[in-house]
Amino acid sequence: MRELRAMRAPATGDANLGRGAFLGITPVGCCGKDRAPFTTLLVRRIPSRVVHLWTSYGDGVEGSMGPSEEKTVDIYRDTWVRFLGYANEVGEAFRALVPVSFVWGSYAVATAYVTADAVDKGKKAAVAHGDNPGKTTRVAVAVVDTFVWQALASVIIPGFTINRVCAASLYLLGKSTKWPLPVRKWTTTAIGLSTIPFIITPIDRSVDFLLDSSLRKVYNDGKKHE
């Protein structure tokens, strides 16, 4: 589906961290300020500010890990499993050609991925912080922030976007061409699929801004009161 995409340290941090780069685990393959190759653009990125947030919340260790641990494979970011997070966008692109049950099934797959990733990051937060003070809060922050960010940036917003792009494309093709319906539907699907790489970064940054302006302020306020 993409490589079709796997997965955001202060507010000025780089937005090019791989999906699932959490809790002080240094991600590999970050692109810095350089334009990433096309296949890299298909990898969903979780912002570096999230890493800063989770590793700096409360008292205790910063969650930093040694060189050998940094190379640990995250199955939700470094393997084929990451593709599951984009199932709903592909489902929306094929909506004109498949039964609606297939589309809803793709949402179920993407939601399962998001949930599993959030649980995984909670477990990693628990391991990284051991019995240090604030462990429960850090785990909760890791799970909630991962789930909300992923739900918005990987499922809800991109799914709605591809849905609208495809609906508009099918309507405009019907008004402006005399192509047979099957051709218009396949063209709509192609447009939907080709749109996916271009919406990733804008949506990621928009969700970052939204959470930084709302939910993450709650985390920061909690940190100040510890």
Side-chain angles (χ1 to χ4, degrees):
M1 288 186 285
R2 314 174 175 145
E3 196 93 30
L4 266 164
R5 47 180 186 118
M7 259 222 250
R8 264 169 206 173
T12 57
D14 193 343
N16 291 321
L17 295 187
R19 176 181 274 192
F22 309 107
L23 311 168
I25 303 174
T26 304
V28 294
C30 293
C31 305
K33 296 181 180 179
D34 298 326
R35 173 177 289 275
F38 179 78
T39 54
T40 303
L41 287 175
L42 294 172
V43 178
R44 172 75 67 194
R45 296 162 175 104
I46 286 190
S48 55
R49 69 193 66 174
V50 177
V51 177
H52 172 77
L53 172 67
W54 294 347
T55 57
S56 63
Y57 193 100
D59 301 320
V61 297
E62 284 295 310
S64 58
M65 299 187 178
S68 61
E69 292 174 294
E70 291 178 343
K71 297 179 182 179
T72 300
V73 174
D74 184 338
I75 65 171
Y76 296 98
R77 176 174 61 93
D78 302 323
T79 71
W80 63 269
V81 175
R82 71 185 185 271
F83 297 147
L84 300 180
Y86 308 102
N88 65 301
E89 288 142 273
V90 175
E92 285 292 355
F94 278 91
R95 182 182 283 271
L97 296 169
V98 299
V100 69
S101 59
F102 175 88
V103 180
W104 289 118
S106 71
Y107 273 90
V109 171
T111 301
Y113 170 87
V114 169
T115 303
D117 190 28
V119 171
D120 177 68
K121 296 314 171 285
K123 291 179 178 179
K124 288 183 177 179
V127 172
H129 301 299
D131 295 325
N132 292 283
K135 173 183 176 180
T136 300
T137 301
R138 291 187 182 201
V139 171
V141 168
V143 172
V144 172
D145 200 272
T146 302
F147 185 85
V148 173
W149 193 93
Q150 289 277 37
L152 290 172
S154 299
V155 181
I156 299 173
I157 299 177
F160 176 79
T161 302
I162 298 302
N163 177 284
R164 292 298 84 198
V165 166
C166 290
S169 299
L170 188 61
Y171 174 80
L172 291 174
L173 287 172
K175 290 292 185 179
S176 61
T177 72
K178 295 183 179 180
W179 296 349
L181 182 58
V183 174
R184 297 202 304 270
K185 288 183 175 181
W186 277 105
T187 301
T188 294
T189 295
I191 292 173
L193 293 174
S194 63
T195 300
I196 294 172
F198 299 100
I199 67 175
I200 296 174
T201 298
I203 290 177
D204 287 359
R205 291 177 178 173
S206 297
V207 172
D208 249 349
F209 177 79
L210 175 63
L211 293 188
D212 287 344
S213 303
S214 55
L215 190 60
R216 289 173 185 159
K217 286 187 176 182
V218 176
Y219 306 156
N220 292 330
D221 288 341
K223 177 182 175 182
K224 291 175 183 178
H225 287 88
E226 285 193 357

